Amino acid sequence: MIRIDFVGSDHAPLVGAVGAQAFHEAFGPRNTRADVSAHVESYYAPWVIEREMARDGVRYLLARDGERAVGMAKLAGDPPSSDPSVVLVDPTLEERAGPWLQVCQLYVLESARSRGVGARLMEAMVAEARARGCRGLWLGVWSENPRGIAFYRRLGLAVVGEAVFQLGSDPQRDHVMALRLGE
Ligand SMILES: CC(C)(COP(=O)(O)OP(=O)(O)OC[C@H]1O[C@@H](n2cnc3c(N)ncnc32)[C@H](O)[C@@H]1OP(=O)(O)O)[C@@H](O)C(=O)NCCC(=O)NCCS
């Protein structure tokens, strides 16, 4: 049975290990080892996750299948303009749909994909956004990740802009996708 929980610093090493493995599986084959390793070290080391957990508005989710950790997600209370590289097609969107919740990371282990784990993690983040009174949820997804883009579209998100995602030494083009959460 799949279980989704918000977790604290005692789970930082496990969240980091799942995120790092899933990131390597998803993006390792299509990027240089140096770029992927640099990224994983900067974002998934336990001490980085512990530091992020202490930041206002940041929370991590862990997905478990029985005893086994199979996915993770990170959310923050930052609007699109918190990333200076974001260019929105409609610049008034941020103001109209604010306040915002950002989905910073969402990763499911390859062996656990296509069983609804990602959808359950998103469901928990949408619930958190509503609980915080957010009217918009946004994220960046690599423009060369069609499965990720299709997954978000199926959940109702639409492309609303572009951003640059720095993967190690490689500046990549991200789609910015967003979901409006009612008035
Ligand atoms: C994108 C990602 C997070 C989706 O997670 P997931 O757990 O595979 O997602 P879901 O299972 O909820 O939905 C995905 C697929 O399962 C199907 N599905 C959904 N619920 C299902 C269920 N209960 N039983 C069987 N299949 C299901 C969907 O139709 C979908 O089909 P697809 O194979 O065409 O994509 C995951 O694939 C992943 O980590 N990918 C690599 C990293 C990435 O792209 N992250 C997001 C962008 S940064």
Side-chain angles (χ1 to χ4, degrees):
M1 199 181 71
I2 305 297
R3 218 180 90 194
I4 310 288
D5 297 299
F6 283 105
V7 291
S9 56
D10 50 332
H11 284 83
L14 186 55
V15 168
V18 172
Q21 183 183 334
F23 195 91
H24 273 290
E25 288 172 347
F27 303 118
R30 299 181 56 204
N31 295 280
T32 69
R33 182 190 287 260
D35 284 340
V36 172
S37 296
H39 178 83
V40 164
E41 251 173 61
S42 314
Y43 288 85
Y44 297 96
W47 71 268
V48 174
I49 293 179
E50 271 191 53
R51 184 195 64 198
E52 286 296 290
M53 280 173 169
R55 203 154 68 77
D56 207 26
V58 172
R59 297 191 78 184
Y60 283 83
L61 284 154
L62 185 65
R64 278 177 275 219
D65 184 1
E67 294 296 302
R68 183 173 166 249
V70 291
M72 56 80 68
K74 174 187 177 187
L75 58 83
D78 302 320
S81 59
S82 63
D83 176 347
S85 79
V86 167
V87 177
L88 296 175
V89 174
D90 171 4
T92 70
L93 175 71
E94 176 164 324
E95 213 174 293
R96 284 190 289 113
W100 289 82
L101 185 129
Q102 179 186 12
V103 175
C104 310
Q105 295 162 353
L106 173 58
Y107 294 105
V108 175
L109 295 183
E110 201 165 50
S111 59
R113 285 192 209 153
S114 293
R115 287 167 42 209
V117 177
R120 290 278 308 278
L121 283 163
M122 277 299 284
E123 206 176 277
M125 289 190 276
V126 169
E128 173 73 6
R130 290 190 194 282
R132 290 187 190 191
C134 294
R135 295 191 2 231
L137 179 148
W138 76 282
L139 54 85
V141 54
W142 191 20
S143 57
E144 292 176 37
N145 178 5
R147 190 165 182 254
I149 294 165
F151 166 79
Y152 291 129
R153 278 195 200 282
R154 204 167 35 236
L155 296 175
L157 284 84
V159 174
V160 296
E162 290 192 356
V164 175
F165 176 73
Q166 193 67 36
L167 183 76
S169 64
D170 183 16
Q172 302 189 337
R173 195 167 75 90
D174 265 13
H175 289 320
V176 175
M177 298 187 76
L179 181 68
R180 301 271 304 264
L181 296 171
E183 301 305 313

